[in-house]
Amino acid sequence: MITLSQRREVGEFRKRYRWMALFVMLVFGTLIARVAQVQLFQRNRWSGIAQQNITKTLELPATRGVIRDVADRVVASNRPSYDVHATPRLLLIPEDLERIANLMGLSEEETAELTARLAALPESRRTHQLELYSDISREQLAALETHLAELPALDIVTVPLRDYPYATLGAHLIGYLNEVNETDLRNVRDPGTYRAGDRIGRSGLERRYEELLRGARGFRRVVVDARGRALEGTRPQSLEVEMLKKPVPGHELQLTIDMQLMEALDRAFRQHPSGAAVVVDIHTGAVRALYSKPVYDPNEMSSGLSTKRYQELTSDPFRPLIDKTIYETYFPGSTFKVITALAALEDSVVDPMQRVECLGSIKIGRQKFRCNRRHDWVDLYDAIVQSCNVYFWELAEKVGLERINRYAEAFGFAERTGIGVNSEAKGFLATREWYKEHYGAFRPGYTLNTAIGQGNTRVTVLQLAMAYAAIANGGTLYVPQVVQNVKAPDGSLSETFQPRVRREIQVLPEHLELLRRALTGVVNEEPGTAYRARSPEGPRIAGKTGTAQVVSRKSRSGESSSAWYLDRSHGWFAGYAPADDPQVAFAILVEHGGSGSTSAAPIAAIVMQEYLSQPDGEEAQ
Amino acid sequence: MAIGRTIRDEFDWPLFIAVSTIALFGVLNLYSATDGGTTSDAYVQQLYWLILGFGAAGVTVAIDYRYFERYGWVVYGACILALVLVLVLGKSVRGSTRWIALGGFSLQPSELMKIGLIIALAKYLHHDTKTGGRTLGDLIIPGLILALPTALVLLQPDLGTAMVLAFIFVSVMMLTELKARSVVTLVATFVVAAPVTWFYLLKDYQKERITAFWSRLGGTQADLLDSGWHAHQSLVAIGSGGLAGKGFTQGTQTRFRFLPDQHTDFPFPVWAEEHGFIGAVLLISLYVFLILWALRIASQAKDRFGAVVAVGVGAMIFWQTVVNLGMVSGLLPVVGMTLPLFSYGGSSLLSTMLGLGLLMNVSMRRFSH
């Protein structure tokens, strides 16, 4: 043995040990450098993931602020919706899916849809919660809750869902919510405000006051293991994140709107398929009713419309999607005569006592203009009460288009009222230049049409109501307001909206007084156009009837049955009540209602009687 | 040579202390990885294996290593036989057959094969008459000594162990001098062999791990499931440990089961998460010391057998450590590879302790003969 080992040279090996040692140190040097990189330089990144790994964040949605009417009646509130959320990474496929499908009673089609949805999810989203179903039924809830312990990937989240007790009533104004889209997410300042699947105020007040109403979401974090099982009461020392953030409820809105008045309007409109009405407080501009018919149901809009339902709504000839109080414009018809009369009075082009003979028609140039009947000798007062066109045509020639337009503008026409909710139409007043440009030349007949509210003048129902409010209150044009105040979640007032004056219209009080006497006569004197519509028991009201011709439109194919109706004139009635001590002004439009005196005026009479006979203190209910 | 004098004067205390410290750290780490022993009694098992391993090493030290030289082929043959038996009788775990039941516990013969290979190569080189300028022809017999066990291990299939065997072989052969021409030929052969291996020899799951690794290096986090997921969670554990760590038994990645195979292949992330960069460097330093110490023992060995055994054992520990650490720190693809002395696992610990026993043996007898 000794001789054997001595024979073997170890010298051959000797040169290699240093190189080997160097290699060993280089390799371990690299490893230590790598560990240093991961532990010292990338520490925050990996710590973040480690904390994310062991926490599951349960969202605590904020309660959206309740909206109430002027008498604290709830017009928008919340009810619980039970939503099924899942963390896709923890879902066992297909076992868990089958289980869920079973418990929820999903059809094969729905199950396939769910499977496809989960499969399409990018890897980066698999650790985040995803809403599988919202607003599940009580039965589904009961079934899922019984087996929730066996499905650690699932969570049932109670989310407040918006509820509109008055359904369609005031829906355009109140608005609705639907799911946020990518544009919303881009536009919001704090990107954490919304998550996919959240609902955002999409129209009306819900949209206008979104930031106040929505509140701020909160969350609760629980410690979970790799399989997503919650470990209650465990709190690793290295966990540096907040475990609970309570949601902050949204602010509450109190409207100036009176839902009882809205209901009264709705009842009064029963016989008419479409129309609009606005009632405003003449002393503040507070809007008491903003009524448009027909309307969609906001509850339905919130939960997402099917394509078919959406098409039904868009193809409805009475256009339920359009807010007829502020978004649509109409010829004002004879309700506009007050403006023509004021223009004439203010610029002293007429002696109100001077009589004009109405023979039932008038010939100007080659054109013959017809009055609604022969009124014989009428002065300004009679002409308003009986709505004599001939008188106003003769007046128009003296006043001229420019003066009429100037006073119309003063009363807020062709200008947005500034109500601040939804899109508002401006309306339109045609000028001499406009006529030249569009009709080639200006003819005197255009002025005559304008004087009686036909021509090319277009107004919104709200503009007309605001103008009549100004007539009733002595010339103050207010900005219409629909929100009275905002309350913080604890009930304290956080903002009260004061009346805002748009302008004081420079008119002589006695001219307004004359107009008001005439408007009272319209309803309360024997030949008055609205005399038949008056309610003898109720308070006296004042107003002006109007009939707006409808530009004959071609009926869409297949709608011939309603086509005749759609060519009928719109009926107007604008005024204020009570006649002797005005409180509210109104404008009522019955689309295709024919004459204003038979369609719109009775609505005003009924509704005002009901509204003004409410016991005092109603608002402080 | 009186044994009493040998123990006192020639016992390799630095080697013993380094090995014991790593092993002790391993048991502590295992205690933490099993939530203080609540989820399994693995750390107790590991203690038993450790006692057994130290016992086996003690026996190995007591026998003069020249006896291992004399019966080298017998040891090698026994290991080969065990590998054949695995294929015949072994139990299949997760698609590969690596274990044979031996009474109450399971044994992994491929682990013992590493020692068998080291002894066989040492014996061969010990008797080799050449002292330099070897040709490829001179590599045929050692190559066959490697090829036989490697083939058997690949049949299981156990890519990790096959790799370690090959690395041990290469390391040991680096001791010898090869002619430049032969080196060129070898490199050329590798260039041809690599694609063949990829397309014909690797199983799908093995390829998948390697692809996942490369895609991660390329910066795409696309595949975070399965193998990519393991490597990712391992980095999360190490990285979140920071400088000082989260504290003993406080590792969240460990306690909440985000680490796969945390007892066996991923004990380092557990350690690094709880003891931070300081602990990680301490542990790595112990391995560096151990391996450099093995090279020192080799350089002082009186004969070729002792030198090759020392280098072989050093290489075995070196490569396994490097591959395991490289894998858990995201530098290398995820292959099944234990961290010597530190990982949970009887066979792995036993074979490592046997190797270290041989190393001590060589160290203690460097002045004798």
Side-chain angles (χ1 to χ4, degrees):
Chain A
M1 280 304 272
I2 290 163
T3 49
L4 189 81
S5 65
Q6 280 171 339
R7 257 195 312 117
R8 300 297 158 224
E9 277 290 334
V10 285
E12 181 194 357
F13 296 176
R14 292 226 184 272
K15 324 159 200 172
R16 298 296 170 90
Y17 296 124
R18 273 173 204 283
W19 291 109
M20 284 184 173
L22 186 66
F23 179 71
V24 166
M25 289 194 282
L26 270 178
V27 170
F28 276 105
T30 311
L31 280 172
I32 288 181
R34 169 62 171 168
V35 172
Q37 180 197 18
V38 173
Q39 292 198 294
L40 304 182
F41 299 105
Q42 304 176 341
R43 195 229 157 155
N44 289 344
R45 176 181 155 206
W46 299 116
S47 286
I49 301 174
Q51 300 198 354
Q52 228 175 58
N53 268 344
I54 58 162
T55 50
K56 187 161 80 167
T57 306
L58 305 174
E59 308 250 311
L60 302 177
T63 310
R64 197 176 174 87
V66 171
I67 303 178
R68 296 170 203 277
D69 83 342
V70 69
D72 282 334
R73 301 179 195 99
V74 173
V75 295
S77 65
N78 311 286
R79 68 173 172 83
S81 153
Y82 299 95
D83 298 355
V84 183
H85 288 217
T87 312
R89 180 168 67 77
L90 305 174
L91 269 180
L92 300 174
I93 294 173
E95 299 95 310
D96 279 0
L97 285 189
E98 278 169 24
R99 193 96 192 236
I100 294 166
N102 245 330
L103 292 171
M104 292 193 60
L106 300 180
S107 69
E108 256 178 51
E109 202 177 299
E110 287 168 319
T111 314
E113 204 175 292
L114 176 63
T115 313
R117 222 176 111 198
L118 287 168
L121 221 55
E123 206 53 61
S124 57
R125 294 289 310 169
R126 299 194 85 88
T127 51
H128 297 258
Q129 274 200 346
L130 170 80
E131 186 185 294
L132 295 186
Y133 295 101
S134 63
D135 205 12
I136 59 171
S137 70
R138 294 266 160 187
E139 291 75 27
Q140 289 174 320
L141 174 68
L144 278 180
E145 270 194 332
T146 327
H147 296 273
L148 212 53
E150 299 140 51
L151 292 162
L154 282 200
D155 285 298
I156 293 184
V157 181
T158 315
V159 181
L161 195 68
R162 208 56 164 167
D163 189 39
Y164 303 99
Y166 285 94
T168 59
L169 210 55
H172 289 119
L173 171 68
I174 297 155
Y176 57 87
L177 317 174
N178 61 21
E179 275 196 22
V180 288
N181 56 38
E182 280 178 25
T183 320
D184 302 326
L185 295 178
R186 264 201 306 278
N187 290 345
V188 75
R189 250 172 295 145
D190 173 11
T193 311
Y194 299 102
R195 300 281 155 73
D198 278 356
R199 291 189 168 84
I200 186 170
R202 185 61 71 203
S203 84
L205 292 164
E206 295 277 28
R207 173 182 170 147
R208 171 70 178 76
Y209 291 96
E210 169 68 19
E211 282 187 31
L212 284 173
L213 288 168
R214 72 176 166 226
R217 82 170 66 240
F219 59 78
R220 190 166 70 87
R221 289 209 172 96
V222 289
V223 176
V224 291
D225 67 7
R227 286 207 44 217
R229 287 172 299 208
L231 308 164
E232 296 291 348
T234 321
R235 172 99 210 246
Q237 291 167 10
S238 57
L239 203 58
E240 291 157 351
V241 293
E242 227 178 326
M243 297 303 275
L244 176 72
K245 187 180 158 202
K246 283 190 179 160
V248 182
H251 285 64
E252 300 199 349
L253 290 188
Q254 180 154 40
L255 307 185
T256 58
I257 301 291
D258 184 331
M259 290 311 284
Q260 201 171 315
L261 174 61
M262 291 286 279
E263 282 178 320
L265 278 165
D266 198 44
R267 278 195 300 276
F269 263 89
R270 208 163 22 204
Q271 300 153 19
H272 307 287
S274 71
V278 174
V279 180
V280 294
D281 186 314
I282 63 157
H283 302 299
T284 60
V287 180
R288 297 293 176 220
L290 206 60
Y291 177 82
S292 179
K293 183 181 180 174
V295 204
Y296 51 81
D297 183 344
N299 292 308
E300 182 184 44
M301 300 296 269
S302 277
S303 38
L305 281 184
S306 66
T307 320
K308 180 169 166 275
R309 186 74 188 104
Y310 181 73
Q311 277 168 0
E312 268 173 36
L313 287 174
T314 46
S315 62
D316 188 322
F318 298 116
R319 299 168 303 153
L321 294 174
I322 305 253
D323 184 350
K324 300 184 177 78
T325 57
I326 62 170
Y327 188 67
E328 183 61 290
T329 58
Y330 301 89
F331 298 134
S334 301
T335 60
F336 194 73
K337 284 176 182 161
V338 290
I339 302 295
T340 311
L342 259 182
L345 288 169
E346 284 292 314
D347 289 6
S348 308
V349 295
V350 66
D351 172 2
M353 298 314 213
Q354 195 186 332
R355 291 174 173 267
V356 168
E357 189 177 20
C358 167
L359 298 169
S361 69
I362 189 174
K363 211 167 178 183
I364 292 169
R366 280 173 291 145
Q367 271 181 293
K368 189 174 178 184
F369 291 82
R370 284 186 183 283
C371 198
N372 39 29
R373 69 178 171 88
R374 183 183 166 133
H375 296 99
D376 297 322
W377 289 96
V378 287
D379 61 8
L380 181 59
Y381 179 91
D382 300 325
I384 290 174
V385 170
Q386 300 174 34
S387 203
C388 174
N389 289 347
V390 171
Y391 180 91
F392 276 92
W393 284 322
E394 297 218 342
L395 199 59
E397 286 191 298
K398 295 179 200 154
V399 178
L401 185 67
E402 284 70 24
R403 279 202 189 98
I404 298 175
N405 280 351
R406 200 167 74 230
Y407 281 90
E409 276 166 15
F411 276 84
F413 293 106
E415 186 187 2
R416 292 190 179 89
T417 63
I419 188 168
V421 184
N422 289 331
S423 310
E424 194 187 355
K426 262 174 81 172
F428 185 69
L429 291 168
T431 59
R432 196 177 285 264
E433 290 69 37
W434 186 88
Y435 279 112
K436 277 182 191 154
E437 193 181 320
H438 287 82
Y439 293 160
F442 180 77
R443 283 185 280 174
Y446 298 147
T447 309
L448 305 197
N449 276 336
T450 304
I452 61 161
Q454 298 292 342
N456 294 81
T457 306
R458 295 191 75 89
V459 304
T460 67
V461 180
L462 178 62
Q463 282 173 339
L464 197 61
M466 296 317 290
Y468 271 79
I471 292 169
N473 68 23
T476 307
L477 189 65
Y478 283 97
V479 175
Q481 287 187 327
V482 285
V483 181
Q484 185 163 300
N485 60 55
V486 179
K487 290 194 185 87
D490 62 7
S492 63
L493 270 182
S494 80
E495 196 176 354
T496 304
F497 296 96
Q498 299 301 326
R500 281 163 59 205
V501 174
R502 253 166 98 192
R503 72 176 71 93
E504 299 288 350
I505 305 162
Q506 296 307 311
V507 283
L508 285 176
E510 54 263 40
H511 292 158
L512 287 176
E513 177 57 34
L514 170 64
L515 276 185
R516 284 199 293 268
R517 268 199 296 115
L519 291 173
T520 308
V522 170
V523 189
N524 301 293
E525 277 173 29
E526 179 58 60
T529 51
Y531 182 72
R532 284 157 189 274
R534 84 196 188 288
S535 59
E537 310 88 49
R540 290 182 356 130
I541 65 172
K544 179 74 196 79
T545 56
T547 305
Q549 283 159 22
V550 168
V551 180
S552 176
R553 53 170 162 183
K554 281 193 176 154
S555 59
R556 296 185 193 86
S557 58
E559 282 177 342
S560 51
S561 58
S562 57
W564 67 269
Y565 184 83
L566 296 177
D567 285 340
R568 274 180 71 179
S569 300
H570 299 322
W572 276 112
F573 190 66
Y576 55 87
D580 313 308
D581 175 24
Q583 298 300 324
V584 290
F586 51 80
I588 288 162
L589 171 82
V590 179
E591 275 196 325
H592 314 293
S595 145
S597 45
T598 54
S599 59
I603 291 176
I606 294 165
V607 170
M608 282 302 119
Q609 183 193 347
E610 192 175 327
Y611 179 66
L612 295 169
S613 61
Q614 279 174 28
D616 282 341
E618 166 76 38
E619 289 181 14
Q621 187 183 19
Chain B
M1 51 169 191
I3 192 84
R5 186 190 150 266
T6 310
I7 293 292
R8 177 163 315 177
D9 300 339
E10 293 174 19
F11 186 76
D12 195 336
W13 284 104
L15 175 64
F16 178 78
I17 291 169
V19 169
S20 308
T21 311
I22 297 176
L24 185 72
F25 283 174
V27 174
L28 285 175
N29 199 52
L30 195 53
Y31 174 81
S32 177
T34 54
D35 292 356
T38 52
T39 53
S40 90
D41 60 349
Y43 78 101
V44 184
Q45 298 265 336
Q46 182 80 344
L47 268 178
Y48 288 151
W49 278 108
L50 209 55
I51 292 164
L52 196 68
F54 273 107
V59 173
T60 316
V61 172
I63 304 166
D64 191 314
Y65 68 78
R66 280 168 294 183
Y67 286 97
F68 291 105
E69 192 273 328
R70 189 182 301 165
Y71 299 109
W73 297 125
V74 179
V75 173
Y76 180 74
C79 292
I80 294 289
L81 186 67
L83 280 182
V84 174
L85 279 177
V86 170
L87 293 175
V88 182
L89 309 168
K91 44 177 190 179
S92 182
V93 179
R94 278 190 275 178
S96 54
T97 317
R98 298 177 185 180
W99 304 82
I100 40 174
L102 215 67
F105 56 93
S106 306
L107 205 69
Q108 208 173 346
S110 55
E111 288 290 339
L112 294 175
M113 190 66 237
K114 295 169 190 167
I115 305 299
L117 177 71
I118 291 169
I119 290 178
L121 287 174
K123 184 180 173 77
Y124 175 79
L125 287 175
H126 189 73
H127 293 282
D128 190 11
T129 49
K130 284 208 174 179
T131 55
R134 277 159 231 264
T135 62
L136 282 182
D138 296 324
L139 288 181
I140 289 175
I141 294 173
L144 285 175
I145 293 174
L146 166 72
L148 182 59
T150 307
L152 287 170
V153 167
L154 280 176
L155 280 176
Q156 294 183 351
D158 183 350
L159 188 64
T161 305
M163 258 168 53
V164 174
L165 292 178
F167 280 142
I168 291 172
F169 172 80
V170 171
S171 307
V172 164
M173 295 317 284
M174 289 306 276
L175 282 171
T176 65
E177 280 174 23
L178 205 58
K179 280 184 175 165
R181 199 163 49 92
S182 309
V183 174
V184 171
T185 318
L186 268 182
V187 170
T189 315
F190 177 77
V191 169
V192 176
V196 175
T197 311
W198 177 262
F199 290 112
Y200 297 104
L201 295 178
L202 290 186
K203 305 259 171 178
D204 279 346
Y205 80 93
Q206 295 167 333
K207 287 189 199 176
E208 198 178 286
R209 286 181 170 185
I210 294 169
T211 343
F213 170 73
W214 286 115
S215 70
R216 213 174 48 253
L217 275 194
T220 54
Q221 290 274 326
D223 182 15
L224 279 187
L225 286 178
D226 295 339
S227 37
W229 164 260
H230 293 170
H232 175 75
Q233 293 300 348
S234 171
L235 278 176
V236 172
I238 297 173
S240 61
L243 178 66
K246 298 176 186 171
F248 186 54
T249 71
Q250 295 300 318
T252 56
Q253 287 288 98
T254 310
R255 287 185 63 202
F256 299 114
R257 318 243 164 284
F258 287 90
L259 284 175
D261 305 327
Q262 54 197 17
H263 312 352
T264 54
D265 288 356
F266 290 82
F268 180 76
V270 175
W271 180 263
E273 183 183 21
E274 296 187 347
H275 305 286
F277 183 66
I278 296 170
V281 168
L282 175 67
L283 184 63
I284 293 173
S285 302
L286 284 170
Y287 281 104
V288 174
F289 171 79
L290 187 58
I291 291 153
L292 293 179
W293 197 253
L295 287 177
R296 184 173 174 271
I297 291 171
S299 72
Q300 292 175 347
K302 282 291 176 214
D303 52 27
R304 282 197 180 183
F305 184 81
V308 172
V309 163
V311 168
V313 172
M316 176 175 89
I317 293 171
F318 171 75
W319 287 113
Q320 292 195 50
T321 305
V322 166
V323 171
N324 180 278
L325 295 184
M327 154 183 114
V328 300
S329 62
L331 290 175
L332 295 173
V334 174
V335 290
M337 183 75 73
T338 56
L339 188 56
L341 293 171
F342 201 71
S343 283
Y344 174 62
S347 302
S348 152
L349 189 64
L350 199 60
S351 66
T352 308
M353 290 307 282
L354 283 174
L356 289 165
L358 282 173
L359 190 62
M360 176 70 94
N361 199 329
V362 174
S363 171
M364 285 170 62
R365 288 178 176 82
R366 62 190 186 274
F367 304 119
S368 61
H369 318 326

